[in-house]
Amino acid sequence: GLPPTADRQPPTLRVGGGPLLTADCRPPTLRVAGGGPLPTADCRPPTIFMKRLLIVEDKESLAHMLREAVLADGLEAEVASSGSLAMRWLAEGRRYVAVLTDLRLPGADGIAVLRQAKESDPDCPVIVMTGFGTIENAVEAMKLGAADFIQKPIDLDHLSILLRRCREHRELRHENLLLKEEFQKQYRLPAIVGDSPRIVEVSHAIQ
């Protein structure tokens, strides 16, 4: 083995350009105003859905091209050839880092897929692919919660950027959730029951 040196540090893993966890799982400690440490994210690996994309496209050649492109970016991909199949998978509880769907589909259109994705997993980003003459539908999709839309023919470099943003968003939400869970465990915050705006505001302030 290599002899130890005084300045050897474990490599740092990064997400979105910022340091996340060191190889020995000792992340930097955060502190509150009173001086006490905040719990840091644990070393559990990210869940599998963080690397899985749902592609909803009925044209086999385009679906194949998109799948190969996302595989090159380090993502896995499941391809649904109809809106109905995609909606069934989402309703069954399958989770994805993002959904990439065409607007015009057999069985159910991209708007229906978007609605189902948001119902099954509100945090799941949905990117809508749109062709000539469907810009108005894309605008409607954005109003319904789509993360973005991309026009055909698909610019794969632009798609790669959009998917990277989706992945970073999901990873950040995942880390924040873990941090919140650990914070509640460490400080034994009581559960506050109620859904009135004032109760929710007080609960958020305490947390």
Side-chain angles (χ1 to χ4, degrees):
L2 295 173
T5 59
D7 58 350
R8 285 184 68 192
Q9 297 292 333
T12 299
L13 304 177
R14 295 180 179 273
V15 172
L20 177 61
L21 294 174
T22 54
D24 59 356
C25 293
R26 288 178 294 179
T29 301
L30 305 175
R31 296 186 178 276
V32 295
L38 275 171
T40 49
D42 63 12
C43 298
R44 286 177 285 178
T47 51
I48 188 64
F49 76 85
M50 292 293 190
K51 293 186 177 181
R52 188 170 61 210
L53 173 73
L54 175 59
I55 298 172
V56 192
E57 173 56 58
D58 61 316
K59 294 180 179 62
E60 186 176 350
S61 58
L62 178 55
H64 178 75
M65 182 191 75
L66 293 170
R67 184 174 182 274
E68 292 300 311
V70 301
L71 286 174
D73 277 346
L75 291 173
E76 300 173 7
E78 290 185 359
V79 177
S81 58
S82 70
S84 301
L85 179 58
M87 291 177 67
R88 190 178 78 203
W89 286 353
L90 291 164
E92 287 172 352
R94 299 193 193 189
R95 299 190 68 192
Y96 303 94
V97 65
V99 174
L100 176 64
T101 181
D102 199 351
L103 267 179
R104 293 180 175 175
L105 295 162
D109 64 11
I111 297 296
V113 173
L114 168 63
R115 291 182 188 276
Q116 182 63 62
K118 288 300 179 182
E119 180 180 334
S120 300
D121 182 4
D123 286 335
C124 182
V126 178
I127 299 172
V128 174
M129 295 181 288
T130 177
F132 177 77
T134 57
I135 295 299
E136 289 183 1
N137 301 98
V139 172
E140 178 188 358
M142 296 292 288
K143 291 179 179 178
L144 292 172
D148 215 323
F149 71 92
I150 185 169
Q151 286 187 273
K152 297 178 180 179
I154 303 298
D155 181 335
L156 294 180
D157 290 333
H158 182 49
L159 176 62
S160 178
I161 292 172
L162 294 180
L163 292 176
R164 184 169 66 247
R165 288 176 184 168
C166 290
R167 191 170 179 177
E168 290 172 355
H169 166 79
R170 292 289 262 176
E171 289 174 340
L172 181 61
R173 294 278 294 181
H174 184 67
E175 291 298 325
N176 286 345
L177 179 61
L178 291 180
L179 194 63
K180 183 178 179 180
E181 289 175 352
E182 293 301 321
F183 188 95
Q184 289 173 332
K185 288 177 183 177
Q186 180 166 336
Y187 291 97
R188 294 186 176 89
L189 293 178
I192 298 179
V193 180
D195 56 4
S196 73
R198 185 58 182 161
I199 290 293
V200 172
E201 180 182 350
V202 170
S203 175
H204 287 170
I206 292 174
Q207 293 176 13

